[in-house]
Amino acid sequence: MLEFTVVKVLAAIFTPDFNITNSLKIANVAFNLLEGRLDGEPTILPIPQDAPADIPRITLQSSDKLLSLSVAPSRTNLEFSVPIDLVVDVIDYSSYYSDLPKFLVEFSSELGLMVQRIGYVTERLIIRDDVLSLIMDKFCNKAQTSKGRPFHNPKRFEIHSLKKYNWEDFQLNSWVRLRYLPITIKDEENKPALLVQNDLNTLSYKDDPGSEFNTKVIEKFFDNIPSHLEQIWNLYFE
């Protein structure tokens, strides 16, 4: 199996009724729950409650900038992310992101948040000279990749797939995005790479306005979603 490096993991809860009136208290709750891992310079903005709900009021990050938390009235994101241009070798970063979901369960419980939607996103990267031929051989009709045909020797190439289905009593949107693209590492010449994004989230407020997830259900989602992502991954790359 191809060896990918996990370069991004994002866990999110969507909170349409979150009234941020005491930003310092919320920041302290997050800091304590993560046991000081967000040790970088915090950003707390005095934004009125009636400002757009997707603008973060609180942003915390680790001093190495690999872990960040953003809190807006509409959603809270906890994200592990490695800049693509710094990825050289296959590195196991699991100690950074393995407990991201646990934090959101505790955070929503501590603040008594009404959670309407849940999301989990991963991105994985592989750098290989033959990566374009690998994905074309696997996913494309060979008659369309030969010289003179639409998919011959592209400089960038993407495949997107969206499915909607029921899973573990959740209604899911399941995005898979494959992106072939050149990346630059430490000012060296471009190298061919494949970035694969798996985005799993429950239905939006517009599609399911009556949805509400309690702490137990949020925990169930985050406990089981990594194994479900692996099942999806195996469908594409096993």
Side-chain angles (χ1 to χ4, degrees):
M1 184 175 289
L2 299 174
E3 287 191 280
F4 284 76
T5 298
V6 175
V7 294
K8 178 178 177 179
V9 177
L10 184 149
I13 51 175
F14 295 74
T15 52
D17 295 332
F18 192 6
N19 187 2
I20 300 178
T21 57
N22 190 334
S23 296
L24 184 58
K25 174 187 174 181
I26 295 168
N28 285 332
V29 167
F31 185 83
N32 292 331
L33 288 175
L34 283 165
E35 299 178 342
R37 290 171 62 189
L38 297 174
D39 56 349
E41 191 68 27
T43 301
I44 300 177
L45 301 176
I47 299 175
Q49 182 65 20
D50 59 357
D54 58 344
I55 298 177
R57 276 52 168 178
I58 303 162
T59 303
L60 306 175
Q61 65 178 1
S62 58
S63 55
D64 59 12
K65 299 184 179 180
L66 294 179
L67 190 65
S68 64
L69 172 75
S70 63
V71 182
S74 64
R75 66 184 289 172
T76 296
N77 293 343
L78 184 58
E79 179 180 343
F80 159 79
S81 182
V82 181
I84 290 178
D85 60 351
L86 297 182
V87 177
V88 179
D89 301 311
V90 176
I91 299 173
D92 182 6
Y93 290 102
S94 58
S95 61
Y96 271 89
Y97 60 78
S98 60
D99 58 351
L100 264 61
K102 177 184 175 184
F103 163 79
L104 288 179
V105 173
E106 296 174 343
F107 184 75
S108 61
S109 177
E110 186 80 15
L111 297 175
L113 301 180
M114 194 284 276
V115 177
Q116 187 274 330
R117 190 183 189 191
I118 319 169
Y120 192 75
V121 181
T122 65
E123 291 184 0
R124 312 186 207 196
L125 182 77
I126 187 170
I127 303 169
R128 282 178 56 139
D129 290 338
D130 62 345
V131 71
L132 179 60
S133 61
L134 285 174
I135 61 172
M136 285 200 164
D137 289 346
K138 191 172 185 65
F139 299 108
C140 299
N141 186 323
K142 291 183 179 180
Q144 300 302 320
T145 60
S146 58
K147 188 173 182 180
R149 302 305 297 161
F151 299 151
H152 176 68
N153 197 28
K155 301 305 178 186
R156 292 176 180 263
F157 192 77
E158 301 189 11
I159 301 172
H160 290 191
S161 172
L162 170 63
K163 293 184 178 182
K164 296 176 179 284
Y165 52 88
N166 292 327
W167 167 80
E168 297 281 347
D169 298 324
F170 297 96
Q171 297 182 73
L172 289 185
N173 298 308
S174 175
W175 274 104
V176 178
R177 300 177 176 92
L178 287 71
R179 297 177 59 205
Y180 162 73
L181 70 169
I183 64 172
T184 303
I185 300 176
K186 295 183 178 179
D187 298 324
E188 297 179 5
E189 64 181 31
N190 287 344
K191 294 183 177 295
L194 176 64
L195 184 69
V196 181
Q197 182 186 78
N198 294 100
D199 184 345
L200 287 167
N201 53 76
T202 59
L203 299 184
S204 68
Y205 182 80
K206 178 181 177 181
D207 292 333
D208 190 10
S211 180
E212 182 174 346
F213 302 113
N214 60 34
T215 301
K216 185 176 181 179
V217 175
I218 298 169
E219 187 173 19
K220 176 184 176 182
F221 178 91
F222 284 129
D223 280 348
N224 295 326
I225 207 68
S227 62
H228 185 51
L229 276 171
E230 288 305 311
Q231 292 173 359
I232 297 170
W233 184 263
N234 290 335
L235 289 175
Y236 282 78
F237 295 105
E238 192 173 35

